[in-house]
Amino acid sequence: MTQRSAEYQPLFRPQDKRRVLVVEDSKTFSIALRQMIEAETGLKVTSCGCLKDLSTAILRDQEGYAIAVVDLNLPDAPNGEALDWTVSHGIPTIVFTGTFDAATRTRIMEREVFDYVLKDSEFALGNLVGSVKRALTNKETRILVVDDMTTTRRLLGQMLTSQQYSVVEVGSGADALMMLEQDQEIRLVVSDYNMPDMDGYELARRIRRRYPAEQVRVIGISSSTDRTTSAGFLKAGAHDFISRPFVLEELQCRIASNAETLLRMRLLNDLAWRDYLTGLFNRRYFFERGPKMVAEARRASQPTCVAILDIDHFKLLNDEHGHDVGDDALRIFADHLGTSFEGHPHLLARLGGEEFALLLPGMSESAAAMLIEEVRIGIAGLGMPVRHVNLGLTVSIGLAVMSATDSLDLALRKADRALYAAKQAGRNRLNA
């Protein structure tokens, strides 16, 4: 199966400086909603109780809203005028309404809102906050739409774009496979059944052979009245099926369900691959991913270097100041390492204790030594205030360049011998 680098990208963490706009005339409900949204997303909320306040807020900061939550019926906007304001200003909008019938649904869906939530149960507030979170995380999901009919393909793409997904479109199965190779961020493939070069079943089978389910999920679509079409897609490796013409809410829910499953899988993988203390990758991930990165560099005829970094006198630090201070020092040290290697292709992991491993694919020994030496000097000059102590940590580093036949284990043993020599020579130095 093909390994996709996007699997290792950071998950969504709310760092958006924009705000959430809440338009609701009930002060009690507005306060509760604001508190929940801010607690669960990290974004600040601007609250408006009427159309006049809404128009003022939008005109003052039109580009500053990530999402709007709008009560459909306000005292000074009883016919959805507030919704018209947010939609016309390009703000993705979630509608919250206590009255709902066929005419209301049509009025809402015509405006291509992100979602609507009914005020019909004690779960309504939680559902609303969940919808806000989906609107923010959907931006992290890239969807490939495959259909040989340009009009239908673009219509589906428009529906998904209104849901804040990132959308790519192609017109054939062969183009879909090529796009998956080129675009490592694609997470969902939505494919029609009838296509000229290969049908949707064959495309699903080929995708499943190349990519595991936790990396790419497939959803089949078809306007066929043959009820076995859905079974054919599922047997071929697809995860879901949607009949056309679409019921928009069904489309939204099925896509959202698959996107959420992928996100949960990534969260579980992240927990399995991350060191609990520092947040860096752990030993298991280093030895799983590292050999693949080495192989990729070799196929490109590029050199690869590996280094082991060990904090000097760390046992003494723990003995003198306690393990809590030692843990804090490890976190600060790891943060500094992570920042120092940003912008360079690398794999950084905590192997255990105070020992860290670094893989630098595509980097020569001289370039790696120069970069790592800068990091060592930076650490030596970095005062680390940890609780009541200002620590001055240093690090010893062993560096090895991999030969064409070296395994990662062998290269690490070379780096470990170089590290031992650095410590024997007085510590706080790089040895290659």
Side-chain angles (χ1 to χ4, degrees):
M1 289 186 177
T2 303
Q3 196 73 36
R4 295 167 64 82
S5 62
E7 181 180 351
Y8 310 103
Q9 298 302 313
L11 299 174
F12 170 78
R13 292 177 177 87
Q15 298 171 338
D16 201 326
K17 299 302 181 184
R18 296 178 298 171
R19 302 175 71 87
V20 176
L21 184 60
V22 171
V23 187
E24 166 63 50
D25 61 314
S26 167
K27 289 185 178 180
T28 301
F29 183 83
S30 181
I31 291 171
L33 182 57
R34 184 190 72 226
Q35 290 174 342
M36 288 185 67
I37 290 174
E38 290 184 346
E40 297 200 31
T41 71
L43 300 185
K44 295 298 182 182
V45 172
T46 295
S47 299
C48 302
C50 61
L51 182 61
K52 180 181 177 181
D53 291 345
L54 168 63
S55 59
T56 301
I58 290 179
L59 293 175
R60 182 179 62 239
D61 194 13
Q62 181 174 333
E63 301 298 324
Y65 296 108
I67 190 80
V69 179
V70 178
D71 190 346
L72 187 61
N73 305 113
L74 298 171
D76 63 342
N79 297 309
E81 293 89 346
L83 171 59
D84 292 334
W85 258 87
T86 56
V87 170
S88 64
H89 285 82
I91 303 173
T93 302
I94 300 168
V95 175
F96 199 53
T97 179
T99 59
F100 192 79
D101 52 29
T104 302
R105 176 191 177 277
T106 299
R107 186 168 47 146
I108 292 173
M109 301 309 291
E110 286 177 341
R111 290 162 172 78
E112 295 185 353
V113 300
F114 176 81
D115 197 5
Y116 62 82
V117 177
L118 307 183
K119 298 179 181 180
D120 61 352
S121 74
E122 67 272 25
F123 306 112
L125 191 59
N127 291 339
L128 187 54
V129 174
S131 187
V132 170
K133 291 168 68 176
R134 283 197 304 276
L136 299 172
T137 57
N138 281 1
K139 295 177 183 294
E140 306 300 309
T141 301
R142 195 158 174 81
I143 300 178
L144 176 62
V145 175
V146 190
D147 196 315
D148 62 320
M149 299 294 292
T150 303
T151 302
T152 54
R153 183 175 72 236
R154 290 183 177 171
L155 177 61
L156 177 55
Q158 182 180 350
M159 291 178 178
L160 295 174
T161 300
S162 72
Q163 291 294 294
Q164 304 303 298
Y165 295 109
S166 172
V167 179
V168 183
E169 302 173 17
V170 296
S172 69
D175 287 345
L177 294 173
M178 184 182 301
M179 184 60 70
L180 282 167
E181 289 288 339
Q182 295 173 354
D183 191 336
Q184 298 287 302
E185 296 185 356
I186 293 171
R187 286 288 165 267
L188 276 173
V189 178
V190 181
S191 174
D192 189 28
Y193 171 71
N194 290 302
M195 290 183 292
D197 58 339
M198 70 179 77
D199 61 31
Y201 299 166
E202 179 62 21
L203 177 59
R205 279 190 288 267
R206 294 193 188 187
I207 291 173
R208 191 53 51 239
R209 283 197 293 267
R210 295 189 188 189
Y211 309 107
E214 65 268 20
Q215 293 180 18
V216 180
R217 291 176 76 85
V218 179
I219 300 175
I221 55 174
S222 177
S223 55
S224 172
T225 57
D226 185 350
R227 296 184 63 185
T228 64
T229 304
S230 60
F233 264 111
L234 297 174
K235 289 290 187 181
H239 299 87
D240 209 339
F241 177 81
I242 310 172
S243 295
R244 195 161 45 196
F246 304 120
V247 176
L248 189 54
E249 292 94 326
E250 179 189 12
L251 173 69
Q252 292 171 353
C253 289
R254 289 186 181 276
I255 297 290
S257 176
N258 281 276
E260 183 177 0
T261 298
L262 282 167
L263 183 61
R264 290 183 182 277
M265 287 180 174
R266 293 177 66 197
L267 285 169
L268 290 172
N269 285 334
D270 208 48
L271 289 172
W273 291 331
R274 295 283 178 180
D275 172 56
Y276 75 97
L277 182 63
T278 64
L280 296 180
F281 288 119
N282 58 21
R283 184 186 190 93
R284 171 187 172 185
Y285 182 79
F286 187 84
F287 284 100
E288 180 176 319
R289 177 60 180 156
K292 297 182 178 72
M293 295 178 69
V294 172
E296 290 166 5
R298 284 176 175 163
R299 282 196 295 271
S301 300
Q302 295 176 337
T304 297
C305 290
V306 64
I308 296 181
L309 304 88
D310 191 279
I311 299 175
D312 294 326
H313 303 297
F314 189 74
K315 182 178 183 302
L316 182 61
L317 183 151
N318 274 332
D319 291 343
E320 289 187 353
H321 302 291
H323 289 278
D324 288 345
V325 170
D327 287 349
D328 287 345
L330 283 170
R331 293 188 191 97
I332 294 173
F333 179 79
D335 287 345
H336 184 76
L337 288 182
T339 302
S340 298
F341 294 112
E342 282 182 358
H344 302 277
H346 73 282
L347 176 60
L348 176 65
R350 182 187 178 204
L351 296 183
E354 70 274 24
E355 193 171 73
F356 298 78
L358 174 67
L359 187 67
L360 294 169
M363 189 172 290
S364 66
E365 183 177 10
S366 59
M370 184 179 300
L371 175 62
I372 294 172
E373 179 65 9
E374 290 178 359
V375 173
R376 184 196 66 78
I377 293 171
I379 290 170
L382 180 68
M384 296 186 181
V386 179
R387 302 193 183 190
H388 58 283
V389 181
N390 190 36
L391 299 174
L393 298 181
T394 62
V395 61
S396 297
I397 306 165
L399 174 65
V401 61
M402 297 187 68
S403 73
T405 57
D406 281 351
S407 66
L408 184 58
D409 283 336
L410 179 57
L412 282 168
R413 288 198 294 272
K414 291 180 179 179
D416 194 50
R417 288 195 293 269
L419 171 66
Y420 179 79
K423 286 184 173 290
Q424 289 295 105
R427 294 184 167 83
N428 187 24
R429 65 192 63 222
L430 166 68
N431 187 64

